[in-house]
Amino acid sequence: VYVPMDFERGCGLGYAFVNLVDGPSAHRVCVALEGFSGWSVRSRKVCQVSWSEREQGLKALVRRYRNSSIMHVSVPDDFKPCLFSMGKRVPFPPPRRQLRRPNGQA
């Protein structure tokens, strides 16, 4: 799960990436989330679900984010992508190179 964040305001940018373990699980989540509008804050936004054409699968997403500046030690943990196994958060694989501080971060 990864929710891109606005560093200055400390809130999400309005979209997220979710990788699921199989096609039937992905379909169930799509059906459940498509059209959702029962937010805990006042909003007219309605959830739209779309399939990513760029990367698919856990390996591809780990490869994309493990060396990303979003994984820099200065970034709060709540702003970073996270992995779950059997409903519990598990460590994200460590970067394979030195990471730069993200642009726009104080």
Side-chain angles (χ1 to χ4, degrees), residues 57-102:
L58 179 60
K59 287 181 183 180
L61 293 169
V62 166
R63 192 170 43 250
R64 178 176 180 183
Y65 291 112
R66 79 182 315 163
N67 293 316
S68 168
S69 61
I70 198 66
M71 300 306 284
H72 189 271
V73 67
S74 68
V75 175
D77 196 49
D78 290 347
F79 287 27
K80 295 178 179 181
C82 52
L83 298 176
F84 295 88
S85 178
M86 304 298 289
K88 295 185 190 249
R89 190 167 180 184
V90 296
F92 204 91
R96 292 187 171 159
R97 62 179 177 81
Q98 190 168 357
L99 304 178
R100 292 183 184 182
R101 180 183 289 268

Side-chain angles (χ1 to χ4, degrees), residues 46-61:
V46 177
C47 185
Q48 279 186 290
V49 178
S50 60
W51 203 264
S52 173
E53 299 297 327
R54 186 170 177 187
E55 277 125 349
Q56 286 293 317
L58 179 60
K59 287 181 183 180
L61 293 169

